Amino acid sequence: MNSAEWHARIECGGEVAGAGFLVSPSKVLTCAHVVRRQSAGLTVTFTERPGSPAVPARVVAHGGWAGGDTDPGDLAVLELDREMPIAPAALAPVDTAHGVTAPRKLVVYGFPVGFDEGTLAEYRITAPQLINREWIQLEAWQPGGQPLAPGFSGSAVTLVDTGEVVGMVTAQGAPGVSNGRMMPTEVMVRYWPDLEGLVPTADHAAADRARLRGLVERAVRAGVECDPVRLYTAAADPFDPLPPEEGFDSLWSAALFVLCELDGPGAAGTVARFADRLEALFRAPVPAEPEAAPDWSPILVELAHSGAGDDLVRVEVSAYSGGHRHPVDSDTVPQPRLRAYVQDRIEAAFRCLTPGADELIAFALPRDWLDWPVDRWESAPDDDTPLGCLYPLVVTDHARRKTSTRHVLTRAWKRLDSSPGARVYRVECAGPEEPGRLRMRLRRADACLAGFATAPAAARTRPHFDTSLTAPAPVIMWSRGGCGGGQDTDCEGAGGCTGKSFLDELDAHVAHVPPAELPRHVLALREEADAEDGHWARDIQLLWDDPRCFTDPHDSTAHVRSPVT
């Protein structure tokens, strides 16, 4: 059995009283009659960890057992005085203790007299019928086998082929008879409802459950770092439940959520994707020592409605260097001349930058222009290389340039300075949560990047896009193609949804990219996409907004004449 470390020996007053098994880092299940002398001092020893000291424990819940051999509720929940670095027992789905065509071999690990280190017994169930709605009868797998003597009470009854728990020994048979009784997990849940969240659904194959648990154990032992919420959301189908609002406290809790909360035809697919993504973490290269965050020297191109007609655009171009803003030019330009004007002024702005500085092209746009493909504009009249394939290029919402928003964003970026990667909060096609709830999530301390499966024009998610801008999310990313060309569709985000595929790729590519490095990382993606047909990042749009890169937009050194002529 692979996960034997969770088997426990229960002692009262220094004497072996029975067995138990670990079901969470700090909770052990056993029989109530095993701990009836708890006043003498209760300890738990994990015998499969030789040399480990006994751990003090206390009873925190019980099934109401009245003290008689045939009284129901013979269950007790022990809380250890510290969490154990042990993989908890894996529970089997309900009704898996008996085979369809033949009995299944069950194994019990107990501590009868003379076996303080523990011993095994092989059993099977006589029939799947409950006795008094409480117990299932056990009988020895073969004549002359180890009887269920005192010391087996509280032992986990496990499937020999998977090591999963199907119940707990509560009574041994009459002298000379190799049988006994177990309380199955579905009855144990009746007495301790918290156990229900640990019993997987029957929609997952045993091999899939074993693979996922094995990967989680391996990841925990190896100290693999990952965000369980990100791992789950990347694997989940649109119809799967959202992760708990409080998140997952560990990789184990995320895996149990997948196994115990997901059912139906798509459940197996989510388990497989979750396991695949977890396994991929073992293959990921060890990240090198991070380079110093770039000290960006931005060239800011501000475009705005001129107020003098739809064909005219107000343009202001500035360069930032040495902590100062250097005005380059401003004018009101007819749309047919806009690209040529911007090309010329960006070239002029480079003369204001410190030689060798990390240049950054930033377009501040009205909200209804944020989807403009400015990264695809030619870099020069004699060079059709897209701007976004030549320089790091980002957009931002012109309305976020106000002082109050900059103050909030600056505080958020100070927190992100120490973040090793960009956590993506996904807004998918199917059933996005209410904008108010999205706002709360984006205002959390760990919020960084809002990723959209649709383009901003999609009516279904437009309120969510506006919420992300005003929350304000420091980074927002989407594909201009979105799902269905950015128009509202009946897409439910299932397989084949281009928006979901975009978010899957995005999540995988930015997980280990510090937020300050995103403009440079997206530059590399745009270069790849420009050289490869059908690349997922072909139309990627990056709204990236660190106010510390820009001096006050109302600085007195800014443009002194109106650009409207």
Side-chain angles (χ1 to χ4, degrees), residues 46-66:
F46 295 93
T47 57
E48 292 303 303
R49 294 172 65 91
S52 296
V55 183
R58 62 190 181 95
V59 177
V60 293
H62 59 82
W65 180 65

Side-chain angles (χ1 to χ4, degrees), residues 232-233 235-242 270 273 426 428-432 491-495 497 500:
Y232 171 73
T233 53
D237 268 340
F239 297 106
D240 289 335
L242 291 172
T270 302
R273 287 190 298 273
R426 300 163 64 107
E428 307 225 16
C429 295
C491 175
E492 297 297 337
C497 168
K500 184 179 188 305

